[in-house]
Amino acid sequence: MTDPTRAYTRLIEAFNQNDWPRVQQRAAQLLPVLPHDPIVHFMAGVACMQTQQMPQALDCLLRATQLEPGRADFLAQYARALVLVRRMREARLVADEAMNSSPGDPMTLEALGLVYAQVQAFAQAAAVFRRAVALTPAQASSRFHLAHALTAIGDSEGAERELEAGIRLEPGYWKAHLNLAQLRRQAPTTNHLERLQSLLAQHGNDIGARLYLNLALAKEYDDTADYPKAFGHLLRGNAAVRSLRPYAARQDEAMFDALLRTFPAVHDAPAEGDPTAEPIFVIGMPRTGTTLLERILSSHPDVYAAGELQNFPTALQQAAGGRLPLLFDPDIAARTTAIDWRRLGATYLASTRPATAERPRFIDKLPHNFLYAGFIARALPNARIVCLRRDPLDTCLGNFRHFFDRESPYYDYSYDLLDTGRYYIQFERLMAHWRNVLPGRILELPYESLVQAPETAARQLLAFCDLSWNDACLRPENNATPVNTPHAWQVRAPIYGTAIGRWKHYEPQLLELRQLLGEAGIGLQD
């Protein structure tokens, strides 16, 4: 028989040591003895969340909140778990309930701030992180997260103050250096180059320092027009990322092959999905101006910017079933034959509520939804899909220059320049296929036309989306919607065309990429 007192003590010891498998084991022993103990349910739920056993995590954490209502720390972890399974509406409501319980410990506040940021409620996130900073002013992480929220709502000066304060407290909080470099365009007389070089010389054996400091140096040398140095640091920073995240181009090629096999021909059967016309999907390779396109569209009074939602891939994965992620299954076609497309469309739409009910239309701006275009067309036959295109060399360089600090495998190609080129070739192949099997469903809009002839491009865009003309769409810099990107200052600037042909700064370094793309038949500009 389990001794509850001894087992309880051992459970707490394992929890405090972050020994999650042992927490699960000891909680499983205790739950039959103490089925109504909220602490046991809570610790079991956190352990399951840490080991990515989400159904069990949600059950345990929900039970903990039911057994002891009003515990802000229980509610905060439950909200975190809801975010991880993309149940954003519920996560926001649970976070609000936690805040109504007046949490006073920094860890709970930080968890809630992160939840608010992940559900795109950046004003609330900033308010929560301010409270956390007030309680623990010497904690660099709270200042970093506050800076991220302030960047999103347009307070770049406040963000810079918090980042600098965090760096003073903890110079080795490496990612803060990269965010500081990205916060504005650096100048020859006002930059952080000397500090970054000094830190890199001191801490070059630290993988985090090599990653973040090299990428920060690459950004600042690019800003100050020292392109050879910028590229050298870019190579070293991305090499550090690649050492942590191995990548095999063959796996992505197999994924693209499977997608082409899943949609072999034009689907001309009657519409079978949900009839809503609310969603506008903005897709394309990352770093092609999709955020600018979103800002132009969401300047229209009838359009809400919902951000980069993972909702459609999540709903599709659930509908298809199986343990293997759908896109990595070589037999995607068989996995999706029995899908109820109308239910899938309705499930996706419901998952975006309540935020997307604020206006008649909403934008889902997950660039990699280009992989899911065939499924979107079936599940949401009246949704609009807009793909932003950009010069191939600018696109590949933009992906290689940007650090996608995310767990998603979508971006693993981007830490090697030639792998980025290989991925771009597959993207072109898939878009040509969608053009053939989804005739008229996708508007492909060149980034260059968007910035060189914005009114013409905006009128074409709004007409395709069945939206009336509105002059505000020509002034996206006046759009007050939060921007979830370290480069928010660029997004809030008036439309500019200086990023066209950026690749020419790095022409000597891109010779192999040019050859790779040229051999694949990709048209390139001189």
Side-chain angles (χ1 to χ4, degrees):
M1 178 179 292
T2 301
D3 177 355
T5 303
R6 180 186 171 98
Y8 205 92
T9 301
R10 293 170 64 207
L11 172 64
I12 293 172
E13 288 174 354
F15 188 86
N16 290 337
Q17 294 167 2
N18 296 339
D19 188 345
W20 306 122
R22 191 162 295 176
V23 171
Q24 289 176 269
Q25 178 188 17
R26 292 176 177 174
Q29 293 170 348
L30 268 175
L31 281 171
V33 183
L34 301 170
H36 302 296
D37 189 302
I39 297 290
V40 178
H41 283 280
F42 173 73
M43 291 186 178
V46 172
C48 289
M49 181 165 56
Q50 293 292 336
T51 55
Q52 299 184 340
Q53 299 175 53
M54 294 313 299
Q56 300 94 315
L58 289 164
D59 288 345
C60 290
L61 290 168
L62 174 59
R63 185 63 179 143
T65 65
Q66 292 169 336
L67 288 167
E68 192 165 349
R71 276 282 298 258
D73 52 345
F74 289 6
L75 291 163
Q77 295 305 317
Y78 183 40
R80 282 188 61 213
L82 289 167
V83 164
L84 289 173
V85 296
R86 316 310 300 172
R87 288 163 59 180
M88 300 305 202
R89 173 183 59 178
E90 295 164 82
R92 170 67 188 270
L93 294 173
V94 172
D96 289 343
E97 186 180 351
M99 288 304 299
N100 289 336
S101 300
S102 302
D105 68 286
M107 287 183 62
T108 297
L109 286 169
E110 189 158 315
L112 289 169
L114 290 171
V115 168
Y116 279 121
Q118 287 165 317
V119 301
Q120 308 287 309
F122 290 105
Q124 289 82 355
V128 173
F129 285 127
R130 283 190 198 280
R131 289 178 58 179
V133 167
L135 288 170
T136 54
Q139 184 75 31
S141 63
S142 294
R143 292 183 178 275
F144 175 81
H145 294 311
L146 174 56
H148 175 75
L150 292 174
T151 301
I153 61 177
D155 184 1
S156 57
E157 292 183 3
E160 186 167 10
R161 284 194 301 271
E162 295 301 330
L163 288 169
E164 287 286 12
I167 289 169
R168 285 194 299 273
L169 290 165
E170 190 178 335
Y173 200 88
W174 304 122
K175 65 174 63 177
H177 294 278
L178 177 58
N179 277 36
L180 188 61
Q182 294 172 330
L183 198 57
R184 59 178 173 83
R185 185 180 298 281
Q186 308 300 320
T189 55
T190 54
N191 57 63
H192 313 96
L193 289 169
E194 184 176 345
R195 180 172 68 189
L196 291 168
Q197 290 285 18
S198 175
L199 286 168
L200 186 58
Q202 296 172 56
H203 302 281
N205 291 328
D206 183 304
I207 185 68
R210 290 206 308 275
L211 191 165
Y212 288 104
L213 296 181
N214 273 302
L215 294 179
L217 283 162
K219 161 65 167 61
E220 300 212 2
Y221 276 123
D222 181 274
D223 285 348
T224 53
D226 192 337
Y227 302 114
K229 281 187 179 179
F231 197 81
H233 285 290
L234 193 56
L235 288 173
R236 290 189 283 276
N238 277 331
V241 184
R242 178 53 60 86
S243 72
L244 299 172
R245 303 184 67 163
Y247 172 76
R250 293 186 303 276
Q251 187 176 23
D252 273 341
E253 289 172 13
M255 174 185 68
F256 281 95
D257 288 342
L259 284 169
L260 267 64
R261 290 194 302 270
T262 303
F263 297 91
V266 175
H267 182 77
D268 53 8
E272 52 194 330
D274 187 281
T276 181
E278 291 180 51
I280 301 170
F281 290 88
V282 173
I283 65 173
M285 284 288 288
R287 311 306 300 162
T288 53
T290 53
T291 301
L292 172 61
L293 179 58
E294 177 195 46
R295 303 287 289 179
I296 290 171
L297 265 177
S298 63
S299 297
H300 195 287
D302 290 341
V303 182
Y304 172 78
E308 295 189 10
L309 302 179
Q310 296 280 348
N311 300 50
F312 190 87
T314 299
L316 178 61
Q317 178 72 36
Q318 292 169 348
R323 297 180 62 86
L324 189 67
L326 183 63
L327 291 187
F328 296 119
D329 190 329
D331 201 7
I332 299 173
R335 286 268 303 277
T336 55
T337 52
I339 284 180
D340 181 331
W341 297 103
R342 189 182 185 95
R343 177 180 293 179
L344 172 58
T347 298
Y348 161 77
L349 188 65
S351 74
T352 69
R353 301 304 198 214
T356 59
E358 292 182 6
R359 299 183 191 179
R361 311 289 293 280
F362 70 90
I363 305 165
D364 182 334
K365 191 197 77 72
L366 182 66
H368 274 90
N369 269 334
F370 70 78
L371 296 167
Y372 296 91
F375 302 106
I376 291 169
R378 295 282 295 276
L380 296 156
N382 296 314
R384 300 299 194 269
I385 308 173
V386 182
C387 180
L388 198 60
R389 308 301 302 269
R390 191 174 186 177
D391 175 90
L393 290 171
D394 275 338
T395 297
C396 291
L397 179 63
N399 277 251
F400 185 59
R401 290 182 66 236
H402 186 79
F403 176 46
F404 298 99
D405 187 11
R406 306 180 185 191
E407 294 297 323
S408 170
Y410 282 143
Y411 307 93
D412 284 354
Y413 63 85
S414 67
Y415 306 115
D416 179 272
L417 187 59
L418 294 184
D419 279 341
T420 302
R422 294 182 187 100
Y423 192 92
Y424 183 85
I425 291 166
Q426 296 299 323
F427 163 77
E428 284 281 1
R429 184 164 71 108
L430 183 61
M431 287 308 303
H433 183 71
W434 293 144
R435 217 172 288 130
N436 290 329
V437 302
L438 302 173
R441 282 304 311 272
I442 302 176
L443 172 65
E444 297 185 60
L445 193 64
Y447 165 79
E448 291 78 9
S449 71
L450 199 63
V451 298
Q452 292 177 325
E455 181 170 349
T456 301
R459 287 187 180 278
Q460 182 185 9
L461 174 64
L462 293 179
F464 177 79
C465 295
D466 197 24
L467 289 163
S468 60
W469 175 252
N470 192 287
D471 287 339
C473 295
L474 294 180
R475 296 185 297 276
E477 68 273 17
N478 296 333
N479 190 329
T481 305
V483 186
N484 187 19
T485 172
H487 303 278
W489 63 274
Q490 292 177 314
V491 176
R492 291 195 171 91
I495 295 174
Y496 60 92
T498 54
I500 294 175
R502 182 187 291 275
W503 66 268
K504 294 178 181 178
H505 296 314
Y506 297 93
E507 191 165 4
Q509 292 86 6
L510 302 183
L511 294 177
E512 287 185 88
L513 176 64
R514 286 183 66 95
Q515 182 178 353
L516 176 71
L517 296 175
E519 289 174 353
I522 306 292
L524 301 174
Q525 298 291 325
D526 291 327

